[in-house]
PDB file of all heavy atoms in Angstrom:
ATOM      1  N   ALA E 218      77.274   5.308 -26.759  1.00  0.00           N
ATOM      2  CA  ALA E 218      76.176   6.241 -26.955  1.00  0.00           C
ATOM      3  C   ALA E 218      76.048   6.617 -28.400  1.00  0.00           C
ATOM      4  O   ALA E 218      74.887   6.768 -28.964  1.00  0.00           O
ATOM      5  CB  ALA E 218      76.348   7.461 -26.041  1.00  0.00           C
ATOM      6  N   GLU E 219      77.175   6.780 -29.053  1.00  0.00           N
ATOM      7  CA  GLU E 219      77.121   7.149 -30.493  1.00  0.00           C
ATOM      8  C   GLU E 219      76.572   5.955 -31.332  1.00  0.00           C
ATOM      9  O   GLU E 219      75.803   6.170 -32.232  1.00  0.00           O
ATOM     10  CB  GLU E 219      78.549   7.508 -31.018  1.00  0.00           C
ATOM     11  CG  GLU E 219      78.527   7.962 -32.469  1.00  0.00           C
ATOM     12  CD  GLU E 219      79.843   8.456 -32.983  1.00  0.00           C
ATOM     13  OE1 GLU E 219      80.800   8.593 -32.180  1.00  0.00           O
ATOM     14  OE2 GLU E 219      79.925   8.726 -34.186  1.00  0.00           O
ATOM     15  N   LEU E 220      76.959   4.722 -30.946  1.00  0.00           N
ATOM     16  CA  LEU E 220      76.403   3.595 -31.653  1.00  0.00           C
ATOM     17  C   LEU E 220      74.894   3.506 -31.494  1.00  0.00           C
ATOM     18  O   LEU E 220      74.188   3.261 -32.456  1.00  0.00           O
ATOM     19  CB  LEU E 220      77.024   2.296 -31.069  1.00  0.00           C
ATOM     20  CG  LEU E 220      78.410   1.854 -31.579  1.00  0.00           C
ATOM     21  CD1 LEU E 220      78.866   0.615 -30.875  1.00  0.00           C
ATOM     22  CD2 LEU E 220      78.346   1.668 -33.128  1.00  0.00           C
ATOM     23  N   VAL E 221      74.428   3.759 -30.278  1.00  0.00           N
ATOM     24  CA  VAL E 221      72.968   3.714 -30.014  1.00  0.00           C
ATOM     25  C   VAL E 221      72.291   4.778 -30.835  1.00  0.00           C
ATOM     26  O   VAL E 221      71.224   4.511 -31.455  1.00  0.00           O
ATOM     27  CB  VAL E 221      72.685   3.963 -28.507  1.00  0.00           C
ATOM     28  CG1 VAL E 221      71.193   4.168 -28.275  1.00  0.00           C
ATOM     29  CG2 VAL E 221      73.210   2.771 -27.654  1.00  0.00           C
ATOM     30  N   ALA E 222      72.826   5.983 -30.882  1.00  0.00           N
ATOM     31  CA  ALA E 222      72.190   7.094 -31.647  1.00  0.00           C
ATOM     32  C   ALA E 222      72.176   6.779 -33.089  1.00  0.00           C
ATOM     33  O   ALA E 222      71.178   7.045 -33.782  1.00  0.00           O
ATOM     34  CB  ALA E 222      72.960   8.392 -31.399  1.00  0.00           C
ATOM     35  N   ARG E 223      73.242   6.210 -33.701  1.00  0.00           N
ATOM     36  CA  ARG E 223      73.284   5.890 -35.089  1.00  0.00           C
ATOM     37  C   ARG E 223      72.335   4.718 -35.433  1.00  0.00           C
ATOM     38  O   ARG E 223      71.624   4.780 -36.460  1.00  0.00           O
ATOM     39  CB  ARG E 223      74.681   5.488 -35.526  1.00  0.00           C
ATOM     40  CG  ARG E 223      75.643   6.711 -35.595  1.00  0.00           C
ATOM     41  CD  ARG E 223      77.055   6.233 -35.886  1.00  0.00           C
ATOM     42  NE  ARG E 223      77.969   7.371 -35.959  1.00  0.00           N
ATOM     43  CZ  ARG E 223      78.571   7.774 -37.092  1.00  0.00           C
ATOM     44  NH1 ARG E 223      78.334   7.138 -38.218  1.00  0.00           N
ATOM     45  NH2 ARG E 223      79.411   8.793 -37.087  1.00  0.00           N
ATOM     46  N   ALA E 224      72.220   3.745 -34.544  1.00  0.00           N
ATOM     47  CA  ALA E 224      71.326   2.650 -34.782  1.00  0.00           C
ATOM     48  C   ALA E 224      69.870   3.110 -34.749  1.00  0.00           C
ATOM     49  O   ALA E 224      69.041   2.741 -35.578  1.00  0.00           O
ATOM     50  CB  ALA E 224      71.542   1.507 -33.743  1.00  0.00           C
ATOM     51  N   ASP E 225      69.607   4.009 -33.795  1.00  0.00           N
ATOM     52  CA  ASP E 225      68.248   4.571 -33.689  1.00  0.00           C
ATOM     53  C   ASP E 225      67.905   5.404 -34.947  1.00  0.00           C
ATOM     54  O   ASP E 225      66.783   5.316 -35.495  1.00  0.00           O
ATOM     55  CB  ASP E 225      68.123   5.437 -32.443  1.00  0.00           C
ATOM     56  CG  ASP E 225      66.790   6.055 -32.279  1.00  0.00           C
ATOM     57  OD1 ASP E 225      65.859   5.401 -31.753  1.00  0.00           O
ATOM     58  OD2 ASP E 225      66.582   7.260 -32.687  1.00  0.00           O
ATOM     59  N   GLU E 226      68.863   6.197 -35.437  1.00  0.00           N
ATOM     60  CA  GLU E 226      68.585   7.042 -36.579  1.00  0.00           C
ATOM     61  C   GLU E 226      68.323   6.150 -37.825  1.00  0.00           C
ATOM     62  O   GLU E 226      67.380   6.458 -38.623  1.00  0.00           O
ATOM     63  CB  GLU E 226      69.774   7.960 -36.869  1.00  0.00           C
ATOM     64  CG  GLU E 226      69.574   8.924 -38.072  1.00  0.00           C
ATOM     65  CD  GLU E 226      70.765   9.808 -38.281  1.00  0.00           C
ATOM     66  OE1 GLU E 226      71.800   9.636 -37.571  1.00  0.00           O
ATOM     67  OE2 GLU E 226      70.706  10.631 -39.152  1.00  0.00           O
ATOM     68  N   GLU E 227      69.107   5.121 -37.987  1.00  0.00           N
ATOM     69  CA  GLU E 227      68.830   4.190 -39.082  1.00  0.00           C
ATOM     70  C   GLU E 227      67.448   3.563 -38.968  1.00  0.00           C
ATOM     71  O   GLU E 227      66.722   3.466 -39.948  1.00  0.00           O
ATOM     72  CB  GLU E 227      69.872   3.043 -39.063  1.00  0.00           C
ATOM     73  CG  GLU E 227      71.232   3.478 -39.521  1.00  0.00           C
ATOM     74  CD  GLU E 227      72.268   2.292 -39.525  1.00  0.00           C
ATOM     75  OE1 GLU E 227      71.871   1.200 -39.202  1.00  0.00           O
ATOM     76  OE2 GLU E 227      73.396   2.560 -39.837  1.00  0.00           O
ATOM     77  N   GLY E 228      67.091   3.166 -37.745  1.00  0.00           N
ATOM     78  CA  GLY E 228      65.783   2.549 -37.539  1.00  0.00           C
ATOM     79  C   GLY E 228      64.644   3.450 -37.903  1.00  0.00           C
ATOM     80  O   GLY E 228      63.705   3.061 -38.559  1.00  0.00           O
ATOM     81  N   ARG E 229      64.714   4.673 -37.452  1.00  0.00           N
ATOM     82  CA  ARG E 229      63.586   5.676 -37.744  1.00  0.00           C
ATOM     83  C   ARG E 229      63.574   5.924 -39.205  1.00  0.00           C
ATOM     84  O   ARG E 229      62.454   6.076 -39.784  1.00  0.00           O
ATOM     85  CB  ARG E 229      63.824   6.912 -36.935  1.00  0.00           C
ATOM     86  CG  ARG E 229      63.672   6.738 -35.439  1.00  0.00           C
ATOM     87  CD  ARG E 229      63.960   7.976 -34.632  1.00  0.00           C
ATOM     88  NE  ARG E 229      63.911   7.703 -33.208  1.00  0.00           N
ATOM     89  CZ  ARG E 229      62.834   7.757 -32.482  1.00  0.00           C
ATOM     90  NH1 ARG E 229      61.655   8.065 -33.015  1.00  0.00           N
ATOM     91  NH2 ARG E 229      62.837   7.465 -31.198  1.00  0.00           N
ATOM     92  N   THR E 230      64.679   6.048 -39.880  1.00  0.00           N
ATOM     93  CA  THR E 230      64.704   6.290 -41.322  1.00  0.00           C
ATOM     94  C   THR E 230      64.063   5.126 -42.078  1.00  0.00           C
ATOM     95  O   THR E 230      63.265   5.322 -43.049  1.00  0.00           O
ATOM     96  CB  THR E 230      66.130   6.496 -41.858  1.00  0.00           C
ATOM     97  OG1 THR E 230      66.694   7.633 -41.119  1.00  0.00           O
ATOM     98  CG2 THR E 230      66.187   6.811 -43.325  1.00  0.00           C
ATOM     99  N   VAL E 231      64.398   3.932 -41.672  1.00  0.00           N
ATOM    100  CA  VAL E 231      63.843   2.732 -42.319  1.00  0.00           C
ATOM    101  C   VAL E 231      62.371   2.579 -42.125  1.00  0.00           C
ATOM    102  O   VAL E 231      61.592   2.323 -43.085  1.00  0.00           O
ATOM    103  CB  VAL E 231      64.568   1.467 -41.792  1.00  0.00           C
ATOM    104  CG1 VAL E 231      63.761   0.220 -42.055  1.00  0.00           C
ATOM    105  CG2 VAL E 231      65.947   1.324 -42.404  1.00  0.00           C
ATOM    106  N   LEU E 232      61.897   2.843 -40.915  1.00  0.00           N
ATOM    107  CA  LEU E 232      60.467   2.703 -40.665  1.00  0.00           C
ATOM    108  C   LEU E 232      59.658   3.770 -41.415  1.00  0.00           C
ATOM    109  O   LEU E 232      58.545   3.479 -41.891  1.00  0.00           O
ATOM    110  CB  LEU E 232      60.213   2.816 -39.153  1.00  0.00           C
ATOM    111  CG  LEU E 232      60.739   1.634 -38.307  1.00  0.00           C
ATOM    112  CD1 LEU E 232      60.446   1.844 -36.840  1.00  0.00           C
ATOM    113  CD2 LEU E 232      60.249   0.296 -38.783  1.00  0.00           C
TER     114      LEU E 232
END
Side-chain angles (χ1 to χ4, degrees):
E219 183 175 354
L220 278 178
V221 171
R223 287 174 180 249
D225 179 84
E226 182 180 4
E227 287 180 3
R229 292 176 187 274
T230 301
V231 161
L232 294 180

